[in-house]
Amino acid sequence: MTDQQPTLGLWAIAREEPGRLTIVDPDHRQATAGELADQSNQVVHALRDLGMQVDDVVAVLVPNSIEYIAIMLGVQQAGFHLVPINFHLSPSEVAYIVGDSGAKAFISHERFADIAIEAAKEISLGDDARIAIGEVEGFRSYTEWLGAFPTDAPSDRTAGELMAYTSGTTGRPKGVKRPLMGLDPDQRAAGGTFLNMLFGMTDPSHVHLVQAPLYHTAVTN
């Protein structure tokens, strides 16, 4: 018997067990804790290079994937706000959310290239702030963008937040930008596992199947 508590939170796990398989995405690609942490670190460096600062916003039109999780984790350790966009929306609706949120970067996936290209025509972001996972005309490559930055942990880490948009049943969707709490990202990550703890799911061998789209706030939260 031991009273030692399990290691919780991606970055803590990555430091202790970087080779632990952490995610298998819908395309059957795999990433270890170390690989996911490294990519999330690069996301922070890359977004800061665009001039993003604490409390700034990044909008994503991305399906469930390793990249989505890495971006979300980057936001969660740099004090940014993540705006996940429903990929069933029209280009004009996507453009409205990106503009209304004040996003300083817009990241899309090539699966939604047609939507992203049309939305970009209504968005006043520079070419450097439009990034594509895969190939999207007029967007810079996510892989090449991150490749210019190191994988070391960023300085001045502080927990970010989700910026959810309503369904817009009374007109245009409305963003909910919650104030940052100034928490340490590792403590926030561990605290976010309270439901796991509540149901006794602390065994590192547990596997969690996510079937819902991560743009849905009930899932991302």
Side-chain angles (χ1 to χ4, degrees):
M1 295 290 291
T2 177
D3 293 329
Q4 183 176 358
Q5 294 297 310
T7 298
L8 300 174
L10 184 278
W11 301 287
I13 293 172
R15 287 191 291 269
E16 294 190 11
E17 298 181 71
R20 183 199 292 185
L21 178 61
T22 300
I23 184 171
V24 179
D25 75 8
D27 292 325
H28 307 291
R29 297 179 303 151
Q30 300 181 0
T32 64
E35 291 168 340
L36 198 54
D38 284 350
Q39 189 175 152
S40 76
N41 292 340
Q42 288 180 299
V43 166
V44 176
H45 295 308
L47 289 174
R48 284 178 173 175
D49 186 67
L50 291 178
M52 285 188 60
Q53 301 177 358
V54 170
D55 211 39
D56 281 343
V57 175
V58 55
V60 295
L61 183 67
V62 178
N64 293 16
S65 59
I66 290 171
E67 290 85 1
Y68 186 104
I69 299 298
I71 295 165
M72 181 173 65
L73 288 167
V75 167
Q76 283 294 336
Q77 65 169 334
F80 302 145
H81 294 266
L82 179 74
V83 175
I85 300 177
N86 183 336
F87 45 72
H88 295 99
L89 296 178
S90 68
S92 61
E93 290 172 323
V94 171
Y96 169 77
I97 290 175
V98 174
D100 183 74
S101 68
K104 298 292 181 65
F106 175 38
I107 304 176
S108 183
H109 191 281
E110 64 181 1
R111 189 179 304 174
F112 313 121
D114 291 345
I115 298 173
I117 291 170
E118 289 303 309
K121 296 176 182 178
E122 304 178 39
I123 297 170
S124 60
L125 284 175
D127 293 346
D128 61 336
R130 299 197 301 265
I131 301 104
I133 299 165
E135 296 185 10
V136 177
E137 183 180 351
F139 285 61
R140 63 195 298 190
S141 164
Y142 176 85
T143 301
E144 293 179 2
W145 177 56
L146 291 193
F149 297 94
T151 59
D152 58 307
S155 59
D156 302 321
R157 297 171 73 240
T158 187
E161 282 286 350
L162 181 71
M163 183 177 176
Y165 266 75
T166 67
S167 59
T169 53
T170 57
R172 290 285 199 176
K174 299 168 182 61
V176 181
K177 191 176 184 181
R178 294 179 292 192
L180 300 175
M181 301 177 66
L183 298 175
D184 175 85
D186 289 294
Q187 294 178 347
R188 174 67 181 276
T193 63
F194 73 96
L195 282 177
N196 303 58
M197 302 287 287
L198 182 64
F199 292 102
M201 296 187 296
T202 59
D203 186 337
S205 66
H206 278 149
V207 175
H208 301 271
L209 177 64
V210 179
Q211 294 179 293
L214 288 174
Y215 67 70
H216 197 294
T217 55
V219 184
T220 304
N221 271 324

